[in-house]
């Protein structure tokens, strides 16, 4: 045995000894019954600014042995003064009476995660995803992270401010999906769906016992609903006759109103019926690691380090295999009959779209994102009107998952350094270090969740998206890109750079030597 091996064995033995000692200490602490220190009641002055003489004292702020946690942390009535509000220290004691628990360890005294077996066909055997730190659930948590991704921070703020009781129990009655997304064979394949919980939209139904009888804080991570969408671009398409009003998928909008409330003679345009699902990320770490061809331990270490050590249990709890990351979710829009998604005899049109706030919402013409999105929706509608079904999946991966700040910095560099197609990808790499971080390997999960087995038409020029879907076992019969006449002039830099880099195109090929000829608009041209 080498000296290094012997030293490593000594270190591991010492670490194991320390962990055993820590667990023993934890057991002793848990066995102690320490009475909770009483919370000092707030003092009320006889004359309080903001309260009319003779008005009743806000009794909801007085603390007594029977005062509930919700009463303690609830917001004071509007108009109460600073003297009437319980101190932040009192609020903190009421919300978090125990000592700070930074992390836990496997087999620690009192810690017993609720059984969860990813990829089993029966939800009762699979088990619910539990990441709550409420007293009813904290010792049975089987997942790291928090529900609602980045929005969990706003929940924390609401609790700290007293506008939300941490023990609020949601009422899920009448929230069940109006559109059925039934179990598919892929739900029970631990290799097919690893980036979200396929049972997430059925939580209140399939885990009713865990919620109502066991009192566990189990929450839906998917919600399915129905809606009408209205886009001015589709109004124009309907006026041109490119979209047909069929009274089922495409409807004529109700008459517009004049300022005096009477019906206007203006064309109201159209609206489109759709079914949609919001999906929060729930990562099965062994499956995610396998999908990217790396070890689970390396994935966990990278997640721990590059989130600033935000989740220590990624390191200390290798027995917990599920992680709810603080990232954006995805939304699925279905045009036509959702039951056709699993019917291979029906035509299916797909667009996988990654978020671009500047273009999708505000119409920036430096890229083709909004034209692509609108064109794809229209293609999905036309497919549904032919008797098929259309699907648009919208991922929150702003700026190729580099973020909007990085994207705008790249825009500045491009416009100052000569916005030519030959420098397009290089500009991103100079700032971000990579040209794309979307990593489409996890993207096909949602298609398997829907039960899609083949795609007739895919509106995309991305080889990464195409390859990820096909390699996951779903064939694509036809792919096509955005028609030439819909490409904004200033976005030619992006399109030509992508074509020269090998992206799919149904138009003319572009050589690397030609890229210098494609030049974007300068800032000066837009200033008046």
């Amino acid at each position: 045995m080498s000296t290094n091996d012997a030293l490593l064995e000594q270190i591991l033995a010492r670490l194991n000894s320390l962990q055993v000692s820590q667990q023993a200490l934890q057991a002793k602490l848990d066995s102690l019954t320490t009475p909770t220190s009483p919370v000092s009641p707030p003092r009320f002055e006889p004359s309080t600014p903001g309260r009319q003489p003779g008005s009743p004292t806000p009794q909801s702020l007085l603390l007594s042995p029977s005062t509930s946690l919700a009463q303690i942390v609830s917001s004071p009535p509007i108009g109460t003064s600073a003297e009437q509000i319980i101190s932040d220290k009192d609020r903190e004691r009421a919300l978090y009476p125990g000592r700070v628990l930074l992390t836990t360890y496997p087999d620690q005294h009192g810690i017993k995660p609720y059984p969860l077996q990813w990829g089993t066909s029966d939800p009762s055997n699979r088990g619910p995803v539990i990441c709550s730190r409420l007293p009813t659930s904290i010792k049975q948590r089987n997942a790291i992270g928090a529900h609602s991704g980045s929005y969990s921070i706003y929940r924390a703020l609401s609790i700290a401010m007293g506008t939300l009781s941490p023990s609020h129990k949601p009422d899920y009655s009448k929230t069940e999906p109006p559109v059925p997304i039934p179990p598919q064979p892929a739900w029970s394949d631990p290799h097919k769906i690893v980036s979200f919980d396929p049972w997430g939209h059925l939580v209140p139904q399939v885990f009713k016992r865990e919620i109502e009888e066991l009192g566990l804080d189990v929450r839906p991570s998917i919600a399915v609903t129905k809606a009408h969408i209205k886009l001015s671009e589709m109004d124009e398409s309907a006026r041109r006759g490119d979209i047909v009003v069929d009274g089922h998928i495409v409807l004529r909008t109700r008459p517009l109103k004049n300022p005096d409330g009477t019906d206007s003679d203006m064309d109201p345009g159209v609206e489109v019926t759709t079914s949609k699902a919001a999906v929060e990320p729930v990562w099965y770490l062994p499956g995610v690691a396998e999908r990217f061809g790396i070890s689970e331990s390396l994935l966990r270490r990278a997640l721990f380090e590059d989130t600033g050590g935000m989740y220590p249990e990624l390191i200390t709890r290798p027995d917990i295999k599920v992680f709810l990351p603080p990232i954006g979710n995805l939304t699925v829009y279905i045009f036509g009959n959702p039951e056709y998604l699993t019917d291979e005899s029906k035509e299916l049109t797909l667009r996988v779209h990654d978020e671009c706030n500047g273009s999708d919402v505000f119409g920036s013409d430096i890229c083709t994102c909004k034209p692509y999105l609108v064109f794809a929706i229209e293609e999905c509608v036309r497919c549904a009107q032919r008797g098929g079904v259309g699907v648009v999946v919208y991922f929150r991966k702003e700026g190729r998952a580099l973020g909007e700040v990085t994207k705008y910095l790249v825009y500045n560099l491009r416009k100052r350094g000569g916005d030519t197609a030959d420098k397009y990808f290089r500009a991103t790499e100079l700032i971000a270090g990579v040209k794309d971080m979307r990593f489409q390997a996890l993207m096909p999960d949602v298609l398997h969740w829907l039960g899609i087995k083949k795609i007739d038409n895919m509106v995309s020029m991305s080889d990464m998206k195409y390859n990820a879907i096909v390699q996951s076992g779903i064939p694509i019969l036809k792919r096509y890109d955005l028609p030439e006449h819909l490409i904004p002039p200033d976005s030619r830099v992006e399109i030509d750079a992508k074509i020269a880099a090998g992206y799919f195109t149904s138009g003319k090929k572009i050589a690397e030597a030609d890229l210098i000829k494609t030049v974007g608009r300068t800032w000066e041209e837009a200033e008046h």
Side-chain angles (χ1 to χ4, degrees):
M1 180 183 292
S2 68
T3 304
N4 287 340
D5 289 339
L7 181 60
L8 180 59
E9 280 199 2
Q10 292 176 12
I11 292 172
L12 289 174
R14 187 169 182 182
L15 284 173
N16 289 332
S17 175
L18 287 172
Q19 182 171 329
V20 170
S21 299
Q22 192 273 343
Q23 292 177 1
L25 179 61
Q26 181 72 44
K28 291 179 181 178
L29 288 171
D30 288 340
S31 66
L32 296 176
T33 55
T34 305
T36 304
S37 301
V39 182
S40 302
R43 293 176 297 176
F44 292 93
E45 300 298 331
S47 176
T48 305
R51 183 165 61 90
Q52 296 297 323
S55 63
T57 301
Q59 296 295 323
S60 62
L61 294 177
L62 293 175
L63 304 181
S64 68
S66 62
T67 304
S68 69
L69 179 62
Q71 287 176 299
I72 295 173
V73 301
S74 62
S75 286
I78 296 175
T80 55
S81 68
E83 290 82 5
Q84 292 175 293
I85 306 174
I86 62 173
S87 72
D88 283 352
K89 208 61 178 173
D90 290 334
R91 187 187 296 275
E92 185 177 346
R93 285 197 209 102
L95 284 169
Y96 313 109
R99 62 189 180 282
V100 176
L101 185 64
L102 292 178
T103 189
T104 58
Y105 299 88
D107 301 321
Q108 183 175 328
H109 176 77
I111 300 296
K112 189 176 181 182
Y114 198 89
L116 194 156
Q117 292 181 294
W118 197 268
T120 55
S121 58
D122 185 342
S124 60
N125 292 332
R126 204 296 300 269
V129 173
I130 305 170
C131 64
S132 172
R133 289 174 62 92
L134 287 179
T136 57
S137 303
I138 188 167
K139 292 187 177 183
Q140 297 191 66
R141 286 185 315 135
N142 56 20
I144 303 166
H147 282 288
S148 300
S150 57
Y151 292 98
S152 62
I153 302 300
Y154 290 106
R155 175 183 169 88
L157 182 59
S158 296
I159 291 173
M161 292 292 292
T163 58
L164 173 64
S165 168
S167 58
H168 169 71
K169 186 175 181 179
D171 181 358
Y172 294 122
S173 58
K174 299 183 180 180
T175 65
E176 61 273 8
V179 178
I181 306 290
Q184 303 296 327
W187 293 20
S188 56
D189 186 338
H191 305 286
K192 289 291 187 185
I193 301 178
V194 300
S195 61
F196 61 88
D197 179 7
W199 296 97
H201 60 308
L202 301 174
V203 160
Q205 291 79 43
V206 298
F207 299 121
K208 185 176 182 179
R209 173 180 169 272
E210 287 80 357
I211 296 172
E212 296 184 0
E213 296 181 24
L214 302 183
L216 298 175
D217 186 10
V218 187
R219 305 180 200 171
S221 57
I222 301 175
V224 182
T225 189
K226 297 171 71 173
H228 286 197
I229 62 174
K230 185 167 181 61
L231 299 171
S232 58
E233 290 85 357
M234 296 200 70
D235 290 341
E236 291 300 320
S237 293
R239 293 183 186 114
R240 293 193 306 267
D242 295 338
I243 292 292
V244 178
V245 179
D246 59 13
H248 176 57
I249 296 170
V250 181
L251 312 174
R252 180 68 60 183
T253 300
R254 293 177 181 177
L256 302 173
K257 295 291 183 181
N258 294 315
D260 62 2
T262 60
D263 288 349
S264 170
D265 294 332
M266 294 179 62
D267 180 5
V270 298
E271 51 199 64
V272 180
T273 60
T274 185
S275 305
K276 56 184 182 179
V279 182
E280 291 180 358
V282 178
W283 285 11
Y284 176 57
L285 293 173
V288 173
E290 180 186 49
R291 193 76 62 86
F292 286 100
I294 57 177
S295 68
E296 182 188 342
S297 61
L298 173 57
L299 173 63
R300 298 177 80 109
R301 182 62 184 266
L303 289 170
F304 171 76
E305 296 289 354
D306 278 86
T307 56
M310 189 185 299
Y311 301 102
E313 288 175 322
L314 286 167
I315 304 300
T316 65
R317 295 301 303 275
D319 58 319
I320 295 183
K321 300 296 184 181
V322 173
F323 174 50
L324 280 64
I327 59 176
N329 62 348
L330 66 90
T331 310
V332 182
Y333 286 83
I334 304 168
F335 303 91
N337 190 341
E339 294 181 4
Y340 292 172
L341 293 170
T342 60
D343 188 345
E344 293 185 71
S345 69
K346 302 295 184 181
E347 183 185 6
L348 189 147
T349 296
L350 172 71
R351 165 70 180 170
V352 176
H353 190 93
D354 293 319
E355 177 183 32
C356 178
N357 182 61
S359 179
D360 296 342
V361 179
F362 293 100
S364 171
D365 68 345
I366 198 171
C367 62
T368 58
C369 296
K370 186 172 186 177
Y372 248 118
L373 180 60
V374 173
F375 174 67
I377 291 174
E378 292 181 355
E379 285 290 276
C380 287
V381 167
R382 284 188 276 266
C383 181
Q385 289 179 326
R386 293 193 297 265
V389 63
V391 180
V392 172
V393 184
Y394 194 91
F395 281 89
R396 302 316 193 281
K397 294 179 180 178
E398 177 65 61
R400 299 186 199 149
L402 301 171
E404 202 165 25
V405 170
T406 295
K407 182 166 72 172
Y408 285 11
L409 293 173
V410 171
Y411 287 168
N412 288 347
L413 174 60
R414 284 172 54 186
K415 294 302 181 183
R416 289 192 176 109
D419 191 15
T420 55
D422 62 316
K423 301 175 183 176
Y424 177 77
F425 287 117
R426 180 59 179 159
T428 302
E429 290 174 333
L430 284 171
I431 294 173
V434 295
K435 63 183 179 183
D436 199 320
M437 286 201 308
R438 285 173 290 182
F439 303 121
Q440 301 294 347
L442 298 177
M443 173 267 292
D445 287 21
V446 66
L447 308 180
H448 292 290
W449 176 66
L450 293 169
I452 294 174
K453 299 177 180 66
K454 68 103 173 86
I455 297 163
D456 296 273
N457 316 299
M458 182 176 177
V459 184
S460 175
M461 66 186 302
S462 169
D463 288 336
M464 287 189 295
K465 293 176 183 177
Y466 175 86
N467 292 337
I469 293 171
V470 172
Q471 290 169 9
S472 78
I474 302 176
I476 297 174
L477 307 185
K478 174 187 174 184
R479 60 192 296 209
Y480 53 106
D481 51 355
L482 187 68
E484 193 78 16
H485 69 281
L486 296 178
I487 299 175
D490 199 39
S491 65
R492 274 278 25 142
V493 171
E494 171 204 11
I495 293 297
D496 287 3
K498 287 181 175 179
I499 293 173
Y503 282 57
F504 171 82
T505 177
S506 56
K508 65 177 182 178
K509 303 295 182 181
I510 297 176
E512 290 280 351
D514 297 327
L515 293 182
I516 196 170
K517 302 174 185 176
T518 306
V519 183
R521 181 184 61 235
T522 64
W523 283 332
E524 289 73 18
E525 292 178 72
E527 293 176 353
H528 302 286

